[in-house]
Amino acid sequence: MTIAPAKLSDPTVRALVTAINANDRDAFLALLAPDATMSDDGSDRDLLPWIDREIFGSHGHMEVQTEADGGRALVANFRNETWGEMRTAWRFTVTSGGRISRFETGQA
C-alpha cells in the first residue's frame, strides 16, 4: 500500500515529495533552507549536483510506503531512469520556518 503525497503528515515534506513527483526542480529548491545539506547512504553529498543527477535529470519518482516521526521519516519506493526502482529511507530536518535544512536518504 502506498501513501498519496497529499496525505503525508508534514506539510513541507508533502510539498517536497509533490515537487519530486512533478519533476519541479524550482519548487523543490524553494523548500530548502539556504544552507541545506544532504547525505546518500551515509555519505554527505554536494546537494545541487546530486539532485540534478539522481532526481531531476533522471525523472525521479517517490511512492511512499510508510511515514514516521510526524511525517519526517519516510520509506519509499524511489525510481529513476538511471537506477530503476529501489526501496529507500528518507529523513528530513525541517526548520521552524518550514524549510528543509537537511535530508538523508539511502537504501532501506
Side-chain angles (χ1 to χ4, degrees):
M1 190 174 118
T2 62
I3 302 170
K7 301 287 188 185
L8 294 172
S9 300
D10 185 276
T12 304
V13 173
R14 179 171 57 237
L16 191 85
V17 171
T18 299
I20 289 171
N21 289 349
N23 203 42
D24 189 340
R25 185 179 188 271
D26 291 339
F28 181 97
L29 292 175
L31 294 164
L32 300 180
D35 58 348
T37 62
M38 60 89 51
S39 71
D40 182 8
D41 283 328
S43 297
D44 279 4
R45 306 286 186 195
D46 192 359
L47 191 143
L48 292 178
W50 189 91
I51 67 165
D52 287 340
R53 182 179 62 252
E54 300 292 336
I55 299 175
F56 298 106
S58 59
H59 298 97
H61 187 87
M62 291 176 77
E63 289 183 359
V64 178
Q65 305 298 307
T66 64
E67 68 172 352
D69 191 25
R72 294 183 179 180
L74 308 177
V75 173
N77 290 336
F78 182 83
R79 70 178 181 272
N80 67 25
E81 293 172 349
T82 303
W83 304 109
E85 185 168 312
M86 64 195 92
R87 188 169 173 85
T88 56
W90 298 74
R91 178 164 290 280
F92 300 93
T93 303
V94 181
T95 67
S96 60
R99 307 273 299 273
I100 293 171
S101 62
R102 181 169 178 82
F103 68 91
E104 299 169 356
T105 187
Q107 294 200 40

